[in-house]
Structures are given as C-alpha cells and as structure tokens.
Amino acid sequence: MDATRIGAVEGLLTALVAEDDALVAARTATEVTTPGIEVSPTLGKLLHLLATVRGARRVLEFGTLAGYSTIWLARAVGPGGRVVSLELERRNAAVARRHLEAAGVSAWVDILCGPAASTSALLVERATEPFDLVLLDADKAPLPLYLDRAAALTRPGAVVVIDNVVRGGRIADDEAASDPDAAGARQALATLASDPRWDATALQTVGPKGWDGVAVAVRR
Ligand code: SAM
C-alpha cells in the first residue's frame, strides 16, 4: 500500500473531525506509558456519533490511556450522563484526568484504576446501572472475557465497539494462537458471530497506523 497516499487521504478525512485543543492534547500526550495507541480521530468521531445516535447516557470504556476517546464519549453523553473508564496504569489515569479537566468533562467521568478484569467484575458485583455503549480498547488477549462483562453490564439495544480486531491481518494467520492479542481478537469475533446475545459487523480499516479493523455489535 502507498503510505503517502494513505496519509493524504487521512488528511482529507480528518477534515471531517473538528478537534479542539483538549482533544489534540490528549491525542498527542507523551507522558503515558505507551504514547500513540489511542483511537484515530475518525474513530473518535465515530464513537461520538454512535453514542449520540444511540442517545447514550451511560458509557463504559476499557482502556483510558490519556483520555482521548474518553473525551469524545463524554462530550456525547453530556453533563447529565456518566462515563466510567477502566485503566490499569495509575500514571495514565493521572494524565487522563488532567486532559478530562481541560476538556471540561471531568465532572461526569470516573476512571477506575486496576486490571479491567477486576474492575469490571466489581461493576457486575455491584449490579451497576446498565451502560448504553461500551468501548473495548484495553489489552486484547482477554477480549472474550471483556465481551462477556459487556453483556453482563448492558441491556438489549446497547452498542459495543471493539478496536484493533484485524491487527495487520494477523487474526487470519494459523499462528494466531501464538499471538495472544490476535488470538483474543479472533476469538471475540467468533463470539460475536455465534453468541445469540450479539448482532455484529466488523470493518477493515487502513490509515497511518497501518491495517486494522473495528467491530460494532448491538446487544440483542
Ligand atoms: N481508548 C484510549 C483512547 O483511544 O484514547 C486508548 C487506550 S490504549 C489503546 C489501551 C489502554 O489500556 C492503555 O492505557 C493501557 O494501559 C490500558 N490497559 C492495558 N491492559 C489493561 C488492563 N488489563 N486493564 C485495564 N487497562 C489496561
């Protein structure tokens, strides 16, 4: 693929996405543990639109990083809503809180620090009010578990989005089993295809970060 043309097209598409200073700061943050792995601007905007179309009041996010996708989602739910974001790293959570503050959304966002397997289990245990939209964008190996948690924490009609489900095509390799992230993504897609709780599709994407994909599911 021609990287220069992909970059030029991305420039045209990004013109559809109006980012203010707070979004740009969150997207370009370097103090986090792994800079540059946030969703693309076009996916951020898609998340915002999906939450808006769904009329989402409550959003659950796995993987906060510097708060870039969190800001898109928090702006969609507005001050009457709630976003709960699950993040492993204290350092990232601290950086994200600063960005959420600058974006003016921190009053309706909670970041729960710790492994998402545990914090999401806690939300299930506490019978937390169901979420309208869930973004799965933390580690990929446990995606099947996270999908199960998403089912437990939503009602029919809720939307689930999973980023990075194609992984440069590695999910199609026989050796996907030796790549835990590719194996997790592949298994999650298989679950979405076979589990009657989900009605789903997935799109392949190409951009400056390479060849990947996003799955969108609706809870039946
Ligand atoms: N959604 C963010 C955005 O688009 O701005 C990007 C999230 S980044 C791809 C993945 C994040 O998940 C990282 O901040 C990482 O520390 C966090 N993470 C990794 N493993 C995790 C786990 N087991 N539990 C919770 N968070 C985890």
Side-chain angles (χ1 to χ4, degrees):
M1 275 179 277
D2 179 339
T4 309
R5 293 189 86 198
I6 289 171
V9 170
E10 187 71 13
L12 293 174
L13 302 186
T14 304
L16 300 167
V17 177
E19 287 184 321
D20 64 2
D21 290 349
L23 277 167
V24 173
R27 180 167 57 76
T28 56
T30 52
E31 325 90 284
V32 286
T33 51
T34 322
I37 58 166
E38 67 290 324
V39 299
S40 64
T42 46
L43 179 52
K45 180 69 180 284
L46 180 63
L47 291 168
H48 181 87
L49 292 175
L50 285 172
T52 303
V53 168
R54 174 65 187 78
R57 308 312 299 152
R58 291 178 54 77
V59 168
L60 175 63
E61 172 179 67
F62 288 59
T64 319
L65 196 67
Y68 180 67
S69 53
T70 325
I71 295 171
W72 278 114
L73 291 164
R75 286 181 172 166
V77 305
R82 197 97 214 148
V83 176
V84 177
S85 189
L86 312 180
E87 171 57 47
L88 179 65
E89 304 284 351
R90 287 193 176 283
R91 176 166 146 199
N92 296 351
V95 173
R97 284 191 183 103
R98 284 208 310 274
H99 291 298
L100 296 170
E101 190 74 39
V105 300
S106 58
W108 61 96
V109 180
D110 297 314
I111 300 177
L112 305 185
C113 234
S118 310
T119 46
S120 60
L122 207 64
L123 293 174
V124 175
E125 246 172 65
R126 287 181 185 161
T128 306
E129 191 185 329
F131 294 94
D132 306 305
L133 186 147
V134 180
L135 169 64
L136 301 183
D137 191 27
D139 46 343
K140 309 299 168 178
L143 271 176
L145 171 72
Y146 294 166
L147 205 44
D148 208 49
R149 294 280 156 74
L153 289 163
T154 53
R155 281 187 287 240
V159 178
V160 173
V161 179
I162 314 179
D163 195 19
N164 310 124
V165 293
V166 171
R167 317 197 65 77
R170 285 188 300 284
I171 59 159
D173 295 345
D174 285 340
E175 58 273 23
S178 62
D179 175 345
D181 294 337
R186 182 166 161 165
Q187 225 183 315
L189 291 175
T191 301
L192 290 177
S194 61
D195 187 326
R197 292 177 297 181
W198 300 112
D199 192 9
T201 190
L203 300 172
Q204 299 193 63
T205 56
V206 64
K209 292 183 191 171
W211 172 25
D212 215 323
V214 61
V216 180
V218 175
R219 173 96 150 76
R220 283 194 170 114

